[in-house]
Amino acid sequence: MTFCHKNPTVLLEVVMFFLSGQSESPLGSKRPNEDRWDFKVTPQNIVLVVGDSVRQMADSHGVYPGKISWEAAQIAAASIVHDLRQQSPGPYDAHSLRFAVHRANCQIRELNTQLRRCHTDTTESIGTSIVVVWLHAQPNGSADGFIASLGDSVSLLVPSKGKPSLLTADQLHACHTYSYEHFHHRMGESVDEARKRRYKWEREFAQNNPDAVAPDNPNEHIGYGALNGDPRALRFLDIRPVHMECGDRLVITTSALRVCRNELVDARETTADYSRVVRCVQECPTIRIPRTLIEFIRDCEVASDTPAEDATVAVIETAA
């Protein structure tokens, strides 16, 4: 999708493209893409929200028990976009952004309450990771605003001049250090038992828990955020200022892009880890970036023998 706003006065002009790719289960069966997004573009500002659903665990046949995991991502995207577009003509501040995320979290809490009432066998809350981009026009044709993230999505700012920068952090990095194999090795369980134990531990102990620490290292904090109605989720919301000049590109993706890092090592990621992605963004026409990156994701998944994940890529370019 392409959006380009032009006005003889000094307003915001952007070009934006989206593309989503369907994922597969570890056993090869297709599963629905549960990424969701919403946006609002005006000559004065842009609001974009991408939600990466937190799935329920698949059973031993690769089947996912719920068909509603995407609803949390959809509610978050629609709610945040609605609230922030109401802010025009301002104020544009981090407090307003945080409050919009809080309101979305409250709506997801209501959804989870309804689900537990309607489906007595549903014991796990659904939730979502999010990235929120909120930009507004400046008199010189540039754009200023904020990017907020919660969870493990990836955002990169690739300027037309200057150095690229990674605008998000993988909040699940420390938690994911403890793989299913790690649990299996330590506890002597079957792979399926270890998988269930890790999933239960991650959701009940690490998710939205600012005080969670690694089982074998009390100095390693492993809590992470997910928008599932838990009020503690807001403690993990990372809000950063962002500035874009004409020709700059902002890439917002779900966590699937992480497979494209230069080396899949156990280390906290930096901008340098995405040098191949940055090169692609710099060299491709804007309209081709989403498809090129999703193809790159699929190639890297095959090369690393990684199961395919839902993949959504959005690109915003401030037009000259």
Side-chain angles (χ1 to χ4, degrees), residues 36-185:
R36 290 295 185 272
W37 62 87
D38 201 350
F39 56 88
K40 177 64 177 179
V41 182
T42 72
Q44 291 81 20
N45 59 70
I46 176 173
V47 181
L48 164 66
V49 182
V50 175
D52 187 354
S53 297
V54 177
R55 291 181 181 274
Q56 295 176 310
M57 186 175 66
D59 62 20
S60 58
H61 301 289
V63 176
Y64 287 81
K67 296 183 179 180
I68 39 71
S69 295
W70 54 266
E71 288 192 25
Q74 181 167 294
I75 287 173
S79 174
I80 294 170
V81 168
H82 174 270
D83 283 359
L84 293 183
R85 65 183 290 192
Q86 302 302 313
Q87 290 296 120
S88 181
Y92 301 117
D93 53 33
H95 174 76
S96 299
L97 176 51
R98 180 176 294 275
F99 186 69
V101 176
H102 162 73
R103 281 174 48 84
N105 196 40
C106 291
Q107 292 187 39
I108 294 172
R109 182 174 66 237
E110 293 177 4
L111 171 65
N112 276 312
T113 299
Q114 294 171 7
L115 290 175
R116 281 191 286 271
R117 288 174 179 167
C118 299
H119 307 285
T120 56
D121 60 342
T122 301
T123 59
E124 299 159 340
S125 298
I126 62 172
T128 184
S129 295
I130 58 165
V131 174
V132 184
V133 178
W134 192 23
L135 299 172
H136 7 283
Q138 298 301 315
N140 62 357
S142 64
D144 282 316
F146 299 95
I147 183 166
S149 60
L150 183 76
D152 59 350
S153 299
V154 183
S155 294
L156 288 159
L157 177 62
V158 182
S160 57
K161 299 177 182 178
K163 295 181 178 180
S165 55
L166 181 65
L167 300 180
T168 50
D170 181 6
Q171 296 182 0
L172 276 75
H173 166 75
C175 186
H176 282 168
T177 299
Y178 298 92
S179 65
Y180 297 133
E181 291 77 14
H182 176 78
F183 269 63
H184 173 68
H185 176 72

Side-chain angles (χ1 to χ4, degrees), residues 175-306:
C175 186
H176 282 168
T177 299
Y178 298 92
S179 65
Y180 297 133
E181 291 77 14
H182 176 78
F183 269 63
H184 173 68
H185 176 72
R186 294 187 62 191
M187 301 178 183
E189 300 171 319
S190 69
V191 172
D192 190 53
E193 289 172 339
R195 179 171 61 96
K196 292 178 179 179
R197 181 181 289 271
R198 181 190 185 279
Y199 180 85
K200 181 179 178 65
W201 165 79
E202 177 182 306
R203 296 298 175 88
E204 294 185 354
F205 180 67
Q207 189 175 86
N208 292 326
N209 182 2
D211 300 319
V213 296
D216 57 359
N217 183 358
N219 295 318
E220 179 71 17
H221 290 272
I222 59 170
Y224 68 93
L227 217 60
N228 66 356
D230 188 334
R232 299 177 301 171
L234 274 293
R235 296 178 64 177
F236 290 91
L237 185 65
D238 181 9
I239 300 178
R240 307 184 188 191
V242 60
H243 174 78
M244 296 182 68
E245 296 286 349
C246 292
D248 291 354
R249 292 171 172 178
L250 181 60
V251 179
I252 305 98
T253 78
T254 49
S255 58
L257 186 70
R258 196 156 279 113
V259 75
C260 301
R261 292 187 303 173
N262 296 344
E263 295 184 14
L264 298 179
V265 297
D266 182 24
R268 296 192 182 277
E269 62 190 14
T270 65
T271 307
D273 294 325
Y274 290 95
S275 62
R276 294 186 297 173
V277 174
V278 168
R279 185 163 56 250
C280 169
V281 174
Q282 291 172 330
E283 296 176 353
C284 285
T286 311
I287 193 172
R288 291 178 51 193
I289 291 174
R291 181 170 300 279
T292 300
L293 286 183
I294 286 183
E295 291 174 353
F296 188 23
I297 289 168
R298 298 304 179 221
D299 289 344
C300 290
E301 287 171 339
V302 172
S304 61
D305 195 26
T306 300

